[in-house]
Amino acid sequence: MKTVAGLGLAALLLGACQVAGVATPAAGDPDFAVVAGADGVALVGQDWLEPVSGLDGRDAGYTGALAVPLDATGAVVLAGGRLAVVRPHVPPVVVDCADCSGIAVTPDLVVTTRKNYTPGNGFDLLLLRHDLTPSRVVRAERLEERSTTDYPGENTASPVTLAADASAITVGYLARDGGVRRGPSIVARYGLDGKLLASASVDGVLGRSAVSPDGRHIAVGVGGSSGACITLSSPVVVDTDSLRVRAFTPALPGKARSSSTYTWFFLTDLVWRGGGLSATGQLHAPPEGETCDPKPEVWRRDFDTATGTVADSTGQAATRWNGPGCEDVLTANGDHENPALVRRSGGVETRLGGYHQITLGRPRPADCPRP
């Protein structure tokens, strides 16, 4: 592992310089997947798995993206307060990034966000070069909101970086009157000078996210917690330029079980394929009088960005294709308590380890049927 000096604020300021400009991300993902869970963070290819040293995968990727493409052969990963550039069969480049949340990549820069402990809950937009050396830091302020409560605001965590393009950086954070268990939250675009350009509100706490290959849409989980076992996260799609928020209709897949008094969806995976989004998650419907569902159903919700229509289907957990055939797939079960990453090839299933989350990799090829 190659380790670069920590990204302290002083070091960033001393290393400040002009940025040549931010462009849209390169199209296409690397030909490997990034997984995370109790066994750490790893890269997975057709017939190999390589753990990434120096990264803790246990709580990675619950807010924002676990990994984003850097170029055709590499990716940037944020996990356990550390940033890493990863490539197959090459030692990672790892830097400390305390309080950082969310990542985005442009052809010139890696972008992340963190709180800076200034009055008014200001925050920093951290801009780094592709080798993770500092470029500059831009200070920004949250949306000014009128408080309707007399208790201290709970919006003190680092904003999460959701996307970046040639002219702006999109972030999300809890609203001034929002609660850490319920929201609402703000999605906002900032200029490269830190000026607030536009904002929108979503009814919940922000979770995992993924940007479409063309950079025009952000998929993000929105939800909260309502007590023991009840953690909600439903996908929405945000138009990057206008910040128009589109929820999935109907709100839940399938039909609620007749014996359940409360049903909710918990998002476990987001993957883009062209103009469509596949959101995989668990439909929880506990028995009457209970709050926990021991056997939630797995559903995939396919969203068409052109029409806004949703097609629901039951079936497989989060899936990526990693071989020449339609049956050569990786699946991650999305269960952080009992994580399992499984490779299926030639009709044979192999458990690869305790990884519950998967990102990047290849979505379903056009000529392969749905699993």
Side-chain angles (χ1 to χ4, degrees), residues 12-94:
L12 278 167
L13 291 173
L14 288 173
C17 65
Q18 294 296 318
V19 178
V22 181
T24 56
D29 287 351
D31 194 24
F32 60 85
V34 178
V35 297
D39 285 351
V41 176
L43 312 183
V44 189
Q46 181 175 343
D47 56 4
W48 53 268
L49 182 147
E50 295 179 352
V52 180
S53 59
L55 298 183
D56 185 345
R58 289 172 294 182
D59 295 320
Y62 286 108
T63 303
L66 166 65
V68 294
L70 181 63
D71 50 41
T73 64
V76 180
V77 181
L78 176 63
R82 309 192 87 186
L83 270 173
V85 171
V86 297
R87 300 181 189 277
H89 324 311
V90 176
V93 176
V94 182

Side-chain angles (χ1 to χ4, degrees), residues 238-319:
V238 181
D239 293 353
T240 308
D241 289 335
S242 67
L243 297 187
R244 179 169 68 109
V245 179
R246 291 188 284 174
F248 282 34
T249 303
L252 294 173
K255 296 181 179 180
R257 301 172 200 165
S258 58
S259 61
S260 179
T261 56
Y262 187 38
T263 305
W264 70 92
F265 189 77
F266 179 71
L267 180 69
T268 59
D269 182 54
L270 292 165
V271 60
W272 288 93
R273 179 176 171 269
L277 169 71
S278 288
T280 301
Q282 301 169 345
L283 182 66
H284 291 254
E288 186 174 358
E290 301 290 335
T291 59
C292 299
D293 185 351
K295 295 182 179 180
E297 297 176 352
V298 175
W299 284 79
R300 185 178 63 244
R301 315 202 71 193
D302 294 328
F303 182 88
D304 187 320
T305 56
T307 63
T309 56
V310 177
D312 291 327
S313 58
T314 58
Q316 212 163 14
T319 304

Side-chain angles (χ1 to χ4, degrees), residues 10-347:
L12 278 167
L13 291 173
L14 288 173
C17 65
Q18 294 296 318
V19 178
V22 181
T24 56
D29 287 351
D31 194 24
F32 60 85
V34 178
V35 297
D39 285 351
V41 176
L43 312 183
V44 189
Q46 181 175 343
D47 56 4
W48 53 268
L49 182 147
E50 295 179 352
V52 180
S53 59
L55 298 183
D56 185 345
R58 289 172 294 182
D59 295 320
Y62 286 108
T63 303
L66 166 65
V68 294
L70 181 63
D71 50 41
T73 64
V76 180
V77 181
L78 176 63
R82 309 192 87 186
L83 270 173
V85 171
V86 297
R87 300 181 189 277
H89 324 311
V90 176
V93 176
V94 182
V95 300
D96 292 323
C97 202
D99 294 325
C100 294
S101 181
I103 41 176
V105 166
T106 77
D108 300 317
L109 298 168
V110 174
V111 181
T112 188
T113 321
R114 71 178 179 194
K115 58 186 178 183
N116 61 17
Y117 299 96
T118 58
N121 290 329
F123 62 94
D124 293 333
L125 303 170
L126 277 63
L127 308 182
L128 304 98
R129 302 178 184 90
H130 281 190
D131 62 1
L132 299 187
T133 57
S135 177
R136 65 168 170 159
V137 62
V138 178
R139 295 191 174 186
E141 298 292 331
R142 298 172 197 248
L143 174 69
E144 186 174 346
E145 302 174 82
R146 179 178 297 178
S147 176
T148 60
T149 63
D150 57 4
Y151 54 79
E154 298 182 16
N155 61 337
T156 57
S158 295
V160 55
T161 300
L162 298 173
D165 59 27
S167 59
I169 298 167
T170 305
V171 306
Y173 44 78
L174 198 64
R176 166 59 184 84
D177 287 347
V180 295
R181 292 166 63 94
R182 67 183 187 281
S185 295
I186 303 296
V187 176
R189 279 174 63 83
Y190 288 82
L192 301 184
D193 58 358
K195 180 180 179 181
L196 177 63
L197 303 176
S199 66
S201 178
V202 295
D203 189 19
V205 177
L206 299 175
R208 68 183 74 235
S209 66
V211 180
S212 63
D214 61 10
R216 296 174 56 194
H217 308 286
I218 304 166
V220 60
V222 177
S225 176
S226 299
C229 296
I230 305 176
T231 301
L232 338 177
S233 183
S234 295
V236 302
V237 173
V238 181
D239 293 353
T240 308
D241 289 335
S242 67
L243 297 187
R244 179 169 68 109
V245 179
R246 291 188 284 174
F248 282 34
T249 303
L252 294 173
K255 296 181 179 180
R257 301 172 200 165
S258 58
S259 61
S260 179
T261 56
Y262 187 38
T263 305
W264 70 92
F265 189 77
F266 179 71
L267 180 69
T268 59
D269 182 54
L270 292 165
V271 60
W272 288 93
R273 179 176 171 269
L277 169 71
S278 288
T280 301
Q282 301 169 345
L283 182 66
H284 291 254
E288 186 174 358
E290 301 290 335
T291 59
C292 299
D293 185 351
K295 295 182 179 180
E297 297 176 352
V298 175
W299 284 79
R300 185 178 63 244
R301 315 202 71 193
D302 294 328
F303 182 88
D304 187 320
T305 56
T307 63
T309 56
V310 177
D312 291 327
S313 58
T314 58
Q316 212 163 14
T319 304
R320 299 295 186 276
W321 276 254
N322 75 321
C326 291
E327 297 301 318
D328 298 322
V329 299
L330 294 168
T331 60
N333 66 356
D335 186 345
H336 69 279
E337 294 184 354
N338 299 289
L341 176 71
V342 175
R343 174 188 285 128
R344 189 173 72 240
S345 182

